[in-house]
Amino acid sequence: MPILVNDRPVFVPDDARVSLLDLLRDRLELFGTKKGCNQGACGACTVLLDGERVLSCLTLAAQCEGRAVVTVEGLAADGALHPLQQAFIDHDGFQCGYCTPGQICSAIGMAAEAARGMPSVVTADLEATDILLDRDELRERMSGNLCRCGAHNGIIDAIGEVFRGPESAGGAPR
Amino acid sequence: MNPVSYVRAADAGAAVAMGAAAGTRYLGGGTNLVDLMRENVEAPSSLVDVCGLSAAIEDTPEGGLLIGGAARNSALAGHPAVRARFPLLSRAILAGASGQIRNMATVGGNILQRTRCTYFYDDAARCNKRAPGAGCDAIDGFNRIHAILGASSACVATHPSDMCVALAALDAEVMLSGPEGERRLPFEAVHRLPDGQPDRDTTLLPGELITAVRLPPLAAARRSAYRKVRDRASYAFALVSLAAAVELDAAGRLAEVRLALGGVAHKPWRARAAEAVLRGQVPDEIRLKEAAAAELAQASPLRDNGFKLVMVERLIVAVLSDLVAGNAGAAA
């Protein structure tokens, strides 16, 4: 069975050592997904695997057989940016841009987790099913994606606007 | 990374039939093993992917939970029964790693993850865990993250898991399947102290696979917490952590108390000496400090990590005081 990458069937590489990240970049020439640390410390390689955010650097391509991968290239529909991509532009959510695709894929997976009631370590009531994605929640839930430029406040503003509403974007302390 | 073969196991029997061969490693989420292969610390010749094995989280007849070894960390932390009945386990898992890694990592893989000692990872350094007999560069090196309890002259590494600290406090049981058949191990018997053989992290036999973790019912777990002290607010391993569960009687004495420490030893450290001081007592600050002192009586800090003794005492006092006051709280 192939791997579905952005709805396109892709053969599983013969060499079991090939990571999902290297499959995407080196063999499929999908350069949006970035290789930062290649050891699970930075989040730049985050993609969605069957809708869940994962690190493509620590996922072997062979493990993705029969599963669906969405990268940053798969987010824009009919040439229109995903609302989160537009929000990153509006809020200066990047400087060098290297962490951006991982931030965006991670935030989309994160929002789905919150929507189904997944708590985080800063959620006061562990049994709450309605998660309010305030700034503390977003910072905790996005801690697996590092930004070394200093765009982090803009990143949190952009994610807050799309997944919690525009009131979160301006007022929070910077 | 050396060439390696890869096969998915359909079930535990198939996995174990393949896993007994020399050079074979079971692969879960890959969050630790793939990294170690890339760093030339692990060099298996074949991988048996066990992610397709049971990931179910089910109630047991006696009121506990049976957790499939392939359950993802995020699935376990977010499960309603865990959040309601074993909140310290949810909080411990959520305190570890990142959202992405928790989505990948399995319960079995979390238990079997290896130390994050920087000398273990650096193949230019001497490490008895990576290369038995080579020596240990951590003992006289930069050792602020290393063990204060149960270490040996061969190894001062710590076990990095948060989840396992909660499992130690909960008296979990690990279900194993291997070439010699099936067996169960009390959680405290899974990981071992380094003594002269630090290359062995656990007591698992060659080819043995973790198929499930069984949690017995524990009323005290409803009043429980996990607190983690680390170098940054999120996405960092513990310097010291504490899992705690208490049950008070009508007079405010501790009818039940469970304590386990992370970041202090080669294994998740069940703090039985501290529990013994506290059981049946009113846990005021003096008593809590006594309990910490009892647990730390055998501690031997290294050059850079004496601060961990202070942290252990403060954690025990703060977390138990909060639990007794009814503030289970979110503090991470």
Side-chain angles (χ1 to χ4, degrees), chain B residues 167-284:
Chain B
L167 293 179
L170 290 169
D171 277 345
E173 226 182 358
V174 172
M175 325 293 278
L176 299 168
S177 184
E180 309 294 319
E182 302 192 349
R183 65 182 180 127
R184 309 171 156 206
L185 269 182
F187 192 78
E188 277 186 274
V190 171
H191 299 95
R192 54 187 296 288
L193 292 177
D195 55 53
Q197 273 192 300
D199 54 309
R200 287 184 60 221
D201 293 348
T202 71
T203 60
L204 267 59
L205 302 172
E208 270 190 323
L209 172 71
I210 295 174
T211 56
V213 173
R214 183 181 282 268
L215 296 186
L218 179 69
R222 289 182 182 269
R223 197 166 189 165
S224 67
Y226 184 78
R227 197 171 297 179
K228 177 174 180 178
V229 182
R230 42 185 160 173
D231 280 328
R232 57 187 184 200
S234 184
Y235 202 17
F237 291 99
L239 294 167
V240 175
S241 67
L242 175 68
V246 300
E247 195 173 2
L248 296 168
D249 67 16
R253 292 180 298 243
L254 286 167
E256 174 65 283
V257 56
R258 300 284 183 89
L259 298 172
L261 294 161
V264 297
H266 196 256
K267 59 184 291 187
W269 189 266
R270 178 73 177 268
R272 290 192 182 274
E275 288 177 9
V277 169
L278 293 172
R279 195 162 283 115
Q281 304 293 321
V282 174
D284 56 23

Side-chain angles (χ1 to χ4, degrees), chain A residues 46-54 68-71 75 105-106 108-109:
Chain A
T46 303
V47 298
L48 299 167
L49 179 60
D50 289 340
E52 300 270 0
R53 54 177 172 161
V54 300
V69 177
V70 174
T71 70
L75 296 178
C105 287
S106 181
I108 291 170

Side-chain angles (χ1 to χ4, degrees), chain A residues 95-145:
Chain A
Q95 183 174 324
C96 81
Y98 203 80
C99 74
T100 313
Q103 298 274 6
I104 289 175
C105 287
S106 181
I108 291 170
M110 178 280 300
E113 292 161 12
R116 61 172 189 263
M118 171 68 78
S120 85
V121 78
V122 300
T123 307
D125 178 4
L126 206 50
E127 293 187 72
T129 48
D130 284 336
I131 305 291
L132 173 66
L133 288 177
D134 62 19
R135 221 174 164 81
D136 285 346
E137 283 280 7
L138 288 177
R139 285 159 58 85
E140 163 58 28
R141 289 168 189 264
M142 292 299 296
S143 71
N145 292 84

Side-chain angles (χ1 to χ4, degrees), chain A residues 17 40 57 126 140 143 145, chain B residues 1-2 38 83 100 234-235:
Chain A
R17 292 173 294 181
C57 75
L126 206 50
E140 163 58 28
S143 71
N145 292 84
Chain B
M1 199 187 292
N2 291 334
R38 211 169 266 149
R83 287 153 72 177
Q100 292 96 314
S234 184
Y235 202 17

Side-chain angles (χ1 to χ4, degrees), chain B residues 156-173:
Chain B
V156 293
T158 58
H159 194 264
S161 171
D162 295 295
M163 182 189 80
C164 289
V165 181
L167 293 179
L170 290 169
D171 277 345
E173 226 182 358

